Amino acid sequence: ETGVTQTPRHLVMGMTNKKSLKCEQHLGHNAMYWYKQSAKKPLELMFVYNFKEQTENNSVPSRFSPECPNSSHLFLHLHTLQPEDSALYLCASSQDPSGGVYEQYFGPGTRLTVT
Amino acid sequence: GQSLEQPSEVTAVEGAIVQINCTYQTSGFYGLSWYQQHDGGAPTFLSYNALDGLEETGRFSSFLSRSDSYGYLLLQELQMKDSASYFCAVREDSNYQLIWGAGTKLIIKP
Protein backbone atom coordinates (compact mmCIF):
# COMPACT_ATOMS: atom_id res chain seq x y z
CA GLU A 1 0.00 0.00 0.00
CA THR A 2 1.20 3.47 -0.79
CA GLY A 3 0.03 6.95 0.12
CA VAL A 4 -2.91 7.43 2.46
CA THR A 5 -5.53 4.73 2.84
CA GLN A 6 -8.92 4.91 4.53
CA THR A 7 -11.42 2.26 5.56
CA PRO A 8 -14.26 1.78 5.14
CA ARG A 9 -14.96 3.66 1.91
CA HIS A 10 -18.70 3.76 2.60
CA LEU A 11 -20.55 3.56 5.89
CA VAL A 12 -24.24 3.71 6.74
CA MET A 13 -25.06 3.91 10.41
CA GLY A 14 -28.00 4.64 12.62
CA MET A 15 -27.98 7.41 15.16
CA THR A 16 -27.47 5.01 18.04
CA ASN A 17 -24.61 3.06 16.51
CA LYS A 18 -20.92 3.23 17.33
CA LYS A 19 -18.43 2.91 14.50
CA SER A 20 -14.82 3.85 13.74
CA LEU A 21 -13.07 5.22 10.68
CA LYS A 22 -9.48 4.21 10.07
CA CYS A 23 -6.70 6.04 8.27
CA GLU A 24 -3.16 4.87 7.58
CA GLN A 25 -0.35 6.74 5.89
CA HIS A 26 2.69 5.08 4.36
CA LEU A 27 4.62 8.27 3.62
CA GLY A 28 6.60 8.73 6.82
CA HIS A 29 4.83 11.99 7.60
CA ASN A 30 4.59 13.38 11.10
CA ALA A 31 1.21 15.18 10.90
CA MET A 32 -2.25 13.73 10.25
CA TYR A 33 -5.64 15.38 9.86
CA TRP A 34 -9.35 14.66 9.81
CA TYR A 35 -11.53 16.79 7.54
CA LYS A 36 -15.27 16.87 6.93
CA GLN A 37 -16.39 17.66 3.38
CA SER A 38 -19.98 18.64 2.69
CA ALA A 39 -21.31 19.62 -0.73
CA LYS A 40 -20.47 23.16 -1.89
CA LYS A 41 -18.74 24.02 1.39
CA PRO A 42 -15.08 24.50 2.28
CA LEU A 43 -13.28 21.56 3.77
CA GLU A 44 -13.75 21.71 7.53
CA LEU A 45 -10.69 20.81 9.55
CA MET A 46 -11.73 18.69 12.51
CA PHE A 47 -8.54 17.48 14.19
CA VAL A 48 -4.77 17.77 13.71
CA TYR A 49 -2.17 15.43 15.17
CA ASN A 50 1.52 16.26 15.09
CA PHE A 51 3.85 13.47 16.22
CA LYS A 52 0.83 11.72 17.78
CA GLU A 53 -0.11 14.77 19.86
CA GLN A 54 -3.40 16.48 19.14
CA THR A 55 -2.66 20.09 18.32
CA GLU A 56 -6.04 21.26 17.07
CA ASN A 57 -9.66 20.50 17.85
CA ASN A 58 -11.80 22.91 15.94
CA SER A 59 -14.88 22.92 18.15
CA VAL A 60 -15.89 19.47 17.03
CA PRO A 61 -18.83 17.89 18.91
CA SER A 62 -17.86 15.21 21.40
CA ARG A 63 -19.71 12.57 19.40
CA PHE A 64 -16.55 12.56 17.25
CA SER A 65 -13.54 11.19 19.11
CA PRO A 66 -10.11 10.96 17.46
CA GLU A 67 -7.33 8.56 18.33
CA CYS A 68 -3.76 8.55 17.08
CA PRO A 69 -1.82 5.55 18.45
CA ASN A 70 1.26 6.28 16.34
CA SER A 71 2.34 8.65 13.58
CA SER A 72 1.08 6.31 10.84
CA HIS A 73 -2.43 5.57 12.09
CA LEU A 74 -5.41 7.75 12.84
CA PHE A 75 -8.91 6.78 13.91
CA LEU A 76 -12.17 8.66 14.19
CA HIS A 77 -14.62 7.06 16.63
CA LEU A 78 -18.24 7.89 16.00
CA HIS A 79 -21.20 7.57 18.37
CA THR A 80 -24.74 8.91 18.54
CA LEU A 81 -24.34 10.86 15.33
CA GLN A 82 -26.93 13.12 13.77
CA PRO A 83 -28.21 13.11 10.16
CA GLU A 84 -26.36 16.40 9.53
CA ASP A 85 -23.11 14.53 10.16
CA SER A 86 -23.58 12.74 6.85
CA ALA A 87 -20.63 13.81 4.71
CA LEU A 88 -17.35 12.70 3.18
CA TYR A 89 -14.68 12.31 5.86
CA LEU A 90 -11.18 12.79 4.56
CA CYS A 91 -7.91 11.90 6.21
CA ALA A 92 -4.70 13.66 5.20
CA SER A 93 -1.06 13.69 6.16
CA SER A 94 1.87 16.03 5.68
CA GLN A 95 5.48 16.50 6.53
CA ASP A 96 6.78 19.37 8.65
CA PRO A 97 5.76 22.50 6.70
CA SER A 98 8.82 24.47 7.77
CA GLY A 99 10.74 23.12 4.82
CA GLY A 100 9.07 25.30 2.19
CA VAL A 101 6.42 23.85 -0.13
CA TYR A 102 3.55 22.67 2.00
CA GLU A 103 1.54 19.78 0.63
CA GLN A 104 -1.14 17.66 2.22
CA TYR A 105 -1.75 14.15 0.93
CA PHE A 106 -5.33 12.94 1.11
CA GLY A 107 -6.91 9.55 1.39
CA PRO A 108 -9.92 8.58 -0.74
CA GLY A 109 -12.36 9.37 2.07
CA THR A 110 -15.20 7.59 3.83
CA ARG A 111 -18.69 8.45 2.60
CA LEU A 112 -20.78 8.44 5.79
CA THR A 113 -24.56 8.34 5.81
CA VAL A 114 -26.39 8.67 9.13
CA THR A 115 -29.95 7.40 9.07
CA GLY B 1 -12.79 36.70 10.02
CA GLN B 2 -11.00 34.32 7.74
CA SER B 3 -12.43 33.76 4.28
CA LEU B 4 -11.46 32.63 0.82
CA GLU B 5 -13.59 33.54 -2.18
CA GLN B 6 -13.58 31.66 -5.46
CA PRO B 7 -16.24 31.25 -8.15
CA SER B 8 -18.57 28.31 -7.60
CA GLU B 9 -18.54 27.22 -11.24
CA VAL B 10 -16.61 27.95 -14.43
CA THR B 11 -17.35 26.59 -17.91
CA ALA B 12 -14.79 26.37 -20.72
CA VAL B 13 -14.24 24.63 -24.03
CA GLU B 14 -11.78 21.82 -24.63
CA GLY B 15 -8.45 23.18 -25.84
CA ALA B 16 -9.07 26.64 -24.39
CA ILE B 17 -7.50 28.46 -21.43
CA VAL B 18 -9.31 29.10 -18.15
CA GLN B 19 -8.41 31.12 -15.06
CA ILE B 20 -9.82 30.40 -11.62
CA ASN B 21 -9.46 33.29 -9.18
CA CYS B 22 -9.12 33.23 -5.42
CA THR B 23 -9.17 36.16 -3.04
CA TYR B 24 -8.42 35.67 0.60
CA GLN B 25 -8.85 37.47 3.88
CA THR B 26 -6.80 35.94 6.66
CA SER B 27 -4.99 37.18 9.75
CA GLY B 28 -1.67 35.92 8.44
CA PHE B 29 -0.22 34.50 5.26
CA TYR B 30 2.46 31.91 4.58
CA GLY B 31 1.32 30.56 1.23
CA LEU B 32 -1.51 29.79 -1.20
CA SER B 33 -2.17 26.25 -2.39
CA TRP B 34 -4.33 24.79 -5.13
CA TYR B 35 -5.86 21.32 -5.08
CA GLN B 36 -7.83 19.36 -7.66
CA GLN B 37 -10.62 16.96 -6.78
CA HIS B 38 -12.44 14.76 -9.26
CA ASP B 39 -15.94 13.57 -8.41
CA GLY B 40 -15.66 10.72 -5.95
CA GLY B 41 -11.93 11.23 -5.56
CA ALA B 42 -9.51 12.70 -3.05
CA PRO B 43 -8.10 16.23 -3.29
CA THR B 44 -4.67 16.19 -4.92
CA PHE B 45 -2.04 18.89 -4.64
CA LEU B 46 -1.36 21.10 -7.67
CA SER B 47 0.75 24.02 -6.51
CA TYR B 48 1.94 26.17 -3.64
CA ASN B 49 2.91 29.85 -3.90
CA ALA B 50 4.66 31.56 -1.03
CA LEU B 51 6.11 34.46 -3.02
CA ASP B 52 4.61 36.83 -5.58
CA GLY B 53 4.67 35.79 -9.18
CA LEU B 54 3.84 32.98 -11.54
CA GLU B 55 4.76 29.32 -11.03
CA GLU B 56 4.41 27.04 -14.04
CA THR B 57 4.05 23.27 -13.99
CA GLY B 58 3.20 21.87 -17.39
CA ARG B 59 -0.25 23.00 -18.50
CA PHE B 60 -1.03 24.45 -15.09
CA SER B 61 0.27 27.74 -13.68
CA SER B 62 -0.44 29.49 -10.39
CA PHE B 63 -0.08 33.17 -9.62
CA LEU B 64 0.11 35.07 -6.35
CA SER B 65 -0.08 38.75 -5.45
CA ARG B 66 0.28 39.13 -1.70
CA SER B 67 -0.37 42.87 -1.79
CA ASP B 68 -3.76 42.21 -3.40
CA SER B 69 -4.51 39.09 -1.33
CA TYR B 70 -5.20 37.40 -4.64
CA GLY B 71 -4.15 34.42 -6.61
CA TYR B 72 -5.28 32.41 -9.59
CA LEU B 73 -4.87 29.03 -11.19
CA LEU B 74 -4.41 29.03 -14.96
CA LEU B 75 -5.17 25.90 -16.94
CA GLN B 76 -4.06 25.78 -20.57
CA GLU B 77 -4.92 23.42 -23.43
CA LEU B 78 -7.91 22.16 -21.48
CA GLN B 79 -8.67 18.46 -21.67
CA MET B 80 -11.85 16.66 -20.70
CA LYS B 81 -9.96 15.03 -17.83
CA ASP B 82 -9.48 18.49 -16.29
CA SER B 83 -13.19 18.52 -15.41
CA ALA B 84 -13.03 18.61 -11.61
CA SER B 85 -13.37 20.90 -8.63
CA TYR B 86 -10.46 23.18 -7.81
CA PHE B 87 -9.83 24.45 -4.29
CA CYS B 88 -7.62 27.25 -3.11
CA ALA B 89 -6.28 27.06 0.43
CA VAL B 90 -4.20 29.45 2.54
CA ARG B 91 -1.58 28.49 5.08
CA GLU B 92 -2.11 31.24 7.58
CA ASP B 93 0.72 30.69 10.03
CA SER B 94 3.54 28.39 10.99
CA ASN B 95 1.29 25.56 12.14
CA TYR B 96 -0.18 22.80 10.03
CA GLN B 97 -3.60 24.21 9.26
CA LEU B 98 -4.97 25.26 5.88
CA ILE B 99 -7.99 27.51 5.40
CA TRP B 100 -9.99 26.32 2.40
CA GLY B 101 -12.19 27.94 -0.21
CA ALA B 102 -15.50 26.32 -1.14
CA GLY B 103 -14.16 25.12 -4.48
CA THR B 104 -14.74 25.92 -8.15
CA LYS B 105 -16.38 23.31 -10.32
CA LEU B 106 -14.78 23.40 -13.77
CA ILE B 107 -17.04 22.16 -16.56
CA ILE B 108 -15.38 21.48 -19.89
CA LYS B 109 -17.41 21.20 -23.06
CA PRO B 110 -16.20 19.52 -26.25
Side-chain angles (χ1 to χ4, degrees), chain B residues 23-78:
Chain B
T23 57
Y24 57 88
Q25 185 175 7
T26 56
S27 57
F29 182 84
Y30 269 52
L32 178 70
S33 301
W34 289 93
Y35 285 77
Q36 178 192 60
Q37 186 179 28
H38 287 99
D39 283 347
T44 56
F45 173 83
L46 293 176
S47 67
Y48 178 77
N49 293 64
L51 302 175
D52 291 349
L54 189 68
E55 299 267 353
E56 298 181 55
T57 308
R59 294 187 299 113
F60 292 9
S61 302
S62 57
F63 172 83
L64 174 65
S65 169
R66 288 173 297 171
S67 60
D68 296 321
S69 299
Y70 164 75
Y72 66 72
L73 179 68
L74 190 73
L75 297 83
Q76 301 182 73
E77 300 172 19
L78 285 172

Side-chain angles (χ1 to χ4, degrees), chain A:
Chain A
E1 290 274 18
T2 59
V4 181
T5 59
Q6 290 186 244
T7 55
R9 295 294 308 277
H10 300 272
L11 178 62
V12 179
M13 59 186 289
M15 290 190 283
T16 58
N17 292 159
K18 290 184 179 181
K19 297 287 184 182
S20 295
L21 309 185
K22 178 183 176 182
C23 175
E24 185 173 0
Q25 59 98 357
H26 309 266
L27 301 167
H29 291 162
N30 55 274
M32 297 187 74
Y33 316 77
W34 279 117
Y35 284 95
K36 176 183 178 183
Q37 186 175 33
S38 303
K40 301 188 186 303
K41 293 177 66 175
L43 271 71
E44 299 174 47
L45 179 65
M46 302 174 72
F47 302 103
V48 180
Y49 278 83
N50 180 19
F51 288 107
K52 302 186 299 177
E53 299 297 321
Q54 187 181 118
T55 57
E56 295 294 336
N57 174 344
N58 286 346
S59 303
V60 179
S62 59
R63 57 185 182 270
F64 295 91
S65 174
E67 179 190 359
C68 188
N70 55 62
S71 58
S72 298
H73 294 84
L74 187 64
F75 295 89
L76 188 63
H77 304 299
L78 316 171
H79 64 97
T80 59
L81 295 190
Q82 304 298 310
E84 61 264 30
D85 297 323
S86 297
L88 181 68
Y89 288 85
L90 291 163
C91 174
S93 70
S94 74
Q95 194 48 281
D96 186 338
S98 64
V101 175
Y102 178 44
E103 178 178 352
Q104 292 188 2
Y105 294 76
F106 285 82
T110 296
R111 174 67 63 184
L112 174 66
T113 303
V114 181
T115 60

